[in-house]
Amino acid sequence: MGGSGIVTTVDDYMRFARMLLNEGELEGQRILHPATIGLMSTDMLDPRISMENRMWLPGKGIGGFGFNFFVRTAPPASPDENRGTVGEFFWAGLLSMLFWVDPGQNMTVIFATQKIPFGNALHHDFRAPVLGVDYSGIPSE
């Protein structure tokens, strides 16, 4: 269940994120089929669902949901929106923990914190130095 939390180490969480970035493979071992990662990281919401009804995570970006994660489908629309790359997928926990996988930048990021109330501004401010203040959200070539 999405709100139940996770008990793990930051190192193991990063291994999990690296496995997702590597399309289901970690250290030469196949964990998940690449097609499974595709389902997890592709917006599966009906395109008829309006933008207003997709904004469950205000400020996080324009996107939808795969079978596990929020998936960014458009570059940031304003400076108030979190920076990020089209195609990235991520999740944030109740205590402000954040992780994201950005295949376009070949990058995984874990931001481990225990902060209540939830830190939308904290996530926004954390992404700025990771991606750079002038980052446009366009994947690297």
Side-chain angles (χ1 to χ4, degrees), residues 71-87:
V71 180
R72 183 181 292 274
T73 59
S78 76
D80 294 332
E81 188 179 307
N82 282 351
R83 289 173 179 82
T85 306
V86 173

Side-chain angles (χ1 to χ4, degrees), residues 6-141:
I6 186 171
V7 177
T8 189
T9 66
V10 173
D11 289 343
D12 281 347
Y13 207 153
M14 181 55 85
R15 288 171 48 84
F16 173 68
R18 284 185 19 241
M19 181 271 300
L20 295 171
L21 179 66
N22 293 323
E23 298 182 328
E25 189 174 304
L26 180 66
E27 298 169 358
Q29 297 294 313
R30 172 70 47 204
I31 310 297
L32 294 173
H33 194 280
T36 303
I37 303 298
L39 291 171
M40 295 167 74
S41 61
T42 301
D43 179 16
M44 296 292 175
L45 294 180
D46 189 317
R48 295 173 294 183
I49 298 172
S50 68
M51 262 318 128
E52 297 80 40
N53 290 322
R54 288 175 174 251
M55 297 312 294
W56 302 298
L57 302 172
K60 297 293 187 186
I62 297 169
F65 283 87
F67 292 154
N68 293 88
F69 308 113
F70 182 86
V71 180
R72 183 181 292 274
T73 59
S78 76
D80 294 332
E81 188 179 307
N82 282 351
R83 289 173 179 82
T85 306
V86 173
E88 75 172 13
F89 50 101
F90 61 89
W91 195 249
L94 173 65
L95 299 176
S96 303
M97 178 106 173
L98 171 68
F99 98 104
W100 80 86
V101 176
D102 186 338
Q105 301 299 322
N106 194 33
M107 173 173 64
T108 62
V109 178
I110 305 284
F111 179 59
T113 185
Q114 301 286 292
K115 180 193 173 296
I116 293 179
F118 185 82
N120 254 346
L122 185 63
H123 288 183
H124 180 273
D125 294 347
F126 176 72
R127 281 177 173 259
V130 172
L131 295 170
V133 294
D134 296 326
Y135 184 66
S136 68
I138 307 302
S140 297
E141 292 298 322

